[in-house]
């Protein structure tokens, strides 16, 4: 190399250490897949889930025959088989952390935010009875029954201990909210049955987590002391109550925050999702019930935050929440199908068959026995048809599927057998029970949900009877749920609403509703030009010329927003929320009603104008004669 070559740029410059750098050239086209592998694969999975949903709804009769969850699991099985056949290794298993931290929260948030709170609290005693006592009944019953089967040496299951069977019974007894939502919203059962089964699936999460962690810790202990049992009982209450308190607290903080967002409307939906997810991960951080936390937070925000945010923010929250829950649910069922295919299975006819049999028997016995007890305290007892649908609707799903994968193989040498049994139970409940529950509901003639919107008169009668029942309870000295609801409403109006809501809204009554409707009608007439700005001849004698200050655009916009948000929602209650089909746009219905009212007003105005024009000649003729 020439001495001046480096200076002229024709050679490789030496590095400070004396070694030459590797020379690189500019490439026209490069591929760097590892750089974008994770976000690229996540995007593909979400795209696949969305395309699967589109394909499912192309044939309009298919959703009425087969639940969407069944077809999504079949798609996952097909993909898992392709991956297993192409790579000759087990496809990726759904990570339990991914499920519990990212996929499950949007589904529970959507269900809790749009849950009918009145119906939930009216049936809270029954829901709590099924969730707590029913879950303990199923877990202990299934665990002891399977332990009895394991004592038969011919089945080859003698190495499974009693604590391991109780642990397996606790995770397999959990009714899954994702599976319940996917099936029960398609069959449109009445609101009471829906809230009983779905409420049970939400509350029994706390019981399942406590029992699962309790028996898992017991299996890892060499000796179990009495103090450990009492610690488990105390943990049982702390997990559930602690999750609820965290959710309510962060729901109040969210409402207080949105009180000051009237000038920054664009970030209002963000607070709803941030505070709800913060409640979930905070509860999980303290090993409390995340589902209970996010449900309590969502119900609190629905009561207070909704009155602070604008109508556009509410629409954004509704659509974005539905999109997240729909995608999460689709990914969960597809991943369940994909994770099924692989080499992580161990088959034992006796254990798998008796697991499925005991799940059905103990679920049915639990519902029928517990209902006989709770019917004594219910004003409207549950019928045999209702009990059958509740027992038949105990679907298992992704929660027990994820919990079984969390078992440490060193402590549970038959983990693969547990995984196989869980998958069989999930597939049986989702496919067999999920497909046949609609024909059974039709055959038994179970009451369906009422899609008709209640009229204003029905609302008035409901409020009237609420006050009457509260007064009767107060006179009789009986502290029922009407009494406590009235006390909470007074406390809410006196303290909470003043602190959490931006402006004190006027109390809803017939008089204020009538005044608001009249104001809205007057504004519509003024906008349509039916009210003349020139005073009539009758009032000319009392008319004094003065300068009328017109309303600013901001004041007009605020007035329209208040009328749009409050008046229309008072006269029309929102229908029950369905995650698979959005209701008609409220603005379209509102615009249609306003158009009808304007036409009616114009027709009345023209009729009055014509009657006046016909009266004037008569008056003139009378004047001539007189």
């Amino acid at each position: 190399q020439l001495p001046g070559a480096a200076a002229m740029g024709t050679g490789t410059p030496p590095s400070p250490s004396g070694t030459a750098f590797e020379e690189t050239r500019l490439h026209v086209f490069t591929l760097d897949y590892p750089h974008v592998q994770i976000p690229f694969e996540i995007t593909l999975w979400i795209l696949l889930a969305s395309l699967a949903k589109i394909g499912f709804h192309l044939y309009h009769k298919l959703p009425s025959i087969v639940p969407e969850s069944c077809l999504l699991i079949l798609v996952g099985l097909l993909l898992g088989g392709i991956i297993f056949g192409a790579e000759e290794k087990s496809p990726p298993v759904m990570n339990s952390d991914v499920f519990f931290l990212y996929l499950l929260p949007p589904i529970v948030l959507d269900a809790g935010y749009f849950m009918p709170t009145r119906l939930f609290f009216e049936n809270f005693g029954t829901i709590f009875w099924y969730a707590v006592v029913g879950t303990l009944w199923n877990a202990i019953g299934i665990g002891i029954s399977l332990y009895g089967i394991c004592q038969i040496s011919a089945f080859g299951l003698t190495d499974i201990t009693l604590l391991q069977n109780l642990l397996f019974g606790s995770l397999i007894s959990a009714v899954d909210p994702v599976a319940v939502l996917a099936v029960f919203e398609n069959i449109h059962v009445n609101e009471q049955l829906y809230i009983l089964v779905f409420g049970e699936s939400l509350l029994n999460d706390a019981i399942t987590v406590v029992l699962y962690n309790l028996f898992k810790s017991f299996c890892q202990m060499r000796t179990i002391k009495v103090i450990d049992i009492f610690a488990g009982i105390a943990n049982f209450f702390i997990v559930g109550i602690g999750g609820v308190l965290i959710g309510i607290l962060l729901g109040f903080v969210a409402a207080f925050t949105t009180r000051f967002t009237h000038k920054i409307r664009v970030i209002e939906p963000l607070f709803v999702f941030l505070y709800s997810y913060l409640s979930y991960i905070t509860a999980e951080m303290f090993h409390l019930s995340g589902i209970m936390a996010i449900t309590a937070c969502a119900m609190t925000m629905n009561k207070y935050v909704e009155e602070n945010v604008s109508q556009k923010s509410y629409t954004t929250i509704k659509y974005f929440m539905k999109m997240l829950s729909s995608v999460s649910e689709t990914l969960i069922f597809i991943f369940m199908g994909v994770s099924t295919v692989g080499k992580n299975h161990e088959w034992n006819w006796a254990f798998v068959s008796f697991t499925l049999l005991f799940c059905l028997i103990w679920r049915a016995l639990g519902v029928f026995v517990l209902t006989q007890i709770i019917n004594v305290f219910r004003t409207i007892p549950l019928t045999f048809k209702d009990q059958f649908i509740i027992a038949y609707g105990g679907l298992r799903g992704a929660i027990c599927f994820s919990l079984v994968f969390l078992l440490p193989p060193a402590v549970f040498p038959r983990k693969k057998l547990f995984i196989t049994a869980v998958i069989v139970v999930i597939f049986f409940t989702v496919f067999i029970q999920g497909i046949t529950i609609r024909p059974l509901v039709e055959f038994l003639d179970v009451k369906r949900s009422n899609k008709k919107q209640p009229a204003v008169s029905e609302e008035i009668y409901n409020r009237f009877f609420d006050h009457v029942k509260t007064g009767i309870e107060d006179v009789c000295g009986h502290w029922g749920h009407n009494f406590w609801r009235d006390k909470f409403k007074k406390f809410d109006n006196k303290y909470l609403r003043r602190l959490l809501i931006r402006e004190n809204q006027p109390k809803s009554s017939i008089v204020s509703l009538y005044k608001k409707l009249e104001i809205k009608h007057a504004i519509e007439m003024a906008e349509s030009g039916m009210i003349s700005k020139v005073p009539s001849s009758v009032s000319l004698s009392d008319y004094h010329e003065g300068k009328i200050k017109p309303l600013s655009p901001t004041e007009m916009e605020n007035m329209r927003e208040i009328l749009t948000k409050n008046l229309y929602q008072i006269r029309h209650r929102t229908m029950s929320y369905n995650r698979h089909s959005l209701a008609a746009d409220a603005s379209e219905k509102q615009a249609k009603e306003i158009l009808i009212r304007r036409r009616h007003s114009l027709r009345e105005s023209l009729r009055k104008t014509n009657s006046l024009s016909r009266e004037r000649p008569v008056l003139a003729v009378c004047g001539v004669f007189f």
Side-chain angles (χ1 to χ4, degrees), residues 181 348 433 585 588:
L181 280 172
N348 185 292
Q433 294 179 214
D585 192 358
E588 296 179 2

Side-chain angles (χ1 to χ4, degrees), residues 24 26 78 81 115 152 154-155 287 315 321 371 438 481 506 511 514 537:
T24 59
L26 181 65
L78 179 62
M115 180 188 293
I152 303 175
F155 294 148
H287 293 283
T315 305
M321 200 174 288
T371 305
R438 180 188 289 270
H481 69 275
V511 177
Y514 175 77
S537 58

Side-chain angles (χ1 to χ4, degrees), residues 241-253 275 279-280 283 292-298 300-301:
I241 298 175
V244 172
L245 292 179
I246 288 177
I248 293 176
L249 177 63
L250 288 176
F252 285 158
V253 175
Y275 280 111
S279 67
Y280 184 87
M292 298 283 287
I294 197 171
T295 302
C297 183
T300 305
M301 288 192 299

Side-chain angles (χ1 to χ4, degrees), residues 15-64:
S15 65
S17 60
T19 59
F21 287 114
E22 183 181 353
E23 186 177 7
T24 59
R25 295 293 182 181
L26 181 65
H27 298 282
V28 178
F29 177 78
T30 57
L31 176 64
D32 190 7
Y33 178 71
H35 179 63
V36 297
Q37 180 179 2
I38 295 178
F40 186 76
E41 291 180 355
I42 292 175
T43 305
L44 287 182
W45 278 111
I46 296 177
L47 180 62
L48 173 66
S50 304
L51 293 176
K53 271 186 109 60
I54 293 175
F56 173 74
H57 290 281
L58 284 179
Y59 184 57
H60 64 280
K61 292 185 178 180
L62 192 60
S64 61

Side-chain angles (χ1 to χ4, degrees), residues 526-584:
E527 290 180 346
S528 59
M530 291 190 297
I531 299 180
S532 176
K533 296 182 180 179
V534 181
S536 61
S537 58
V538 180
S539 60
L540 275 177
S541 58
D542 299 330
Y543 178 72
H544 301 281
E545 187 69 28
K547 186 177 181 180
I548 301 175
K549 181 181 178 181
L551 293 175
S552 64
T554 305
E555 293 174 336
M556 289 295 295
E557 184 65 27
N558 292 336
M559 188 181 298
R560 290 193 188 96
E561 182 180 356
I562 293 173
L563 293 173
T564 302
K565 182 177 179 181
N566 296 324
L567 298 187
Y568 194 79
Q569 289 184 353
I570 291 176
R571 290 180 287 119
H572 293 269
R573 177 192 281 180
T574 306
M575 294 180 62
S576 58
Y577 187 73
N578 192 324
R579 296 167 48 251
H580 296 287
S581 60
L582 279 174

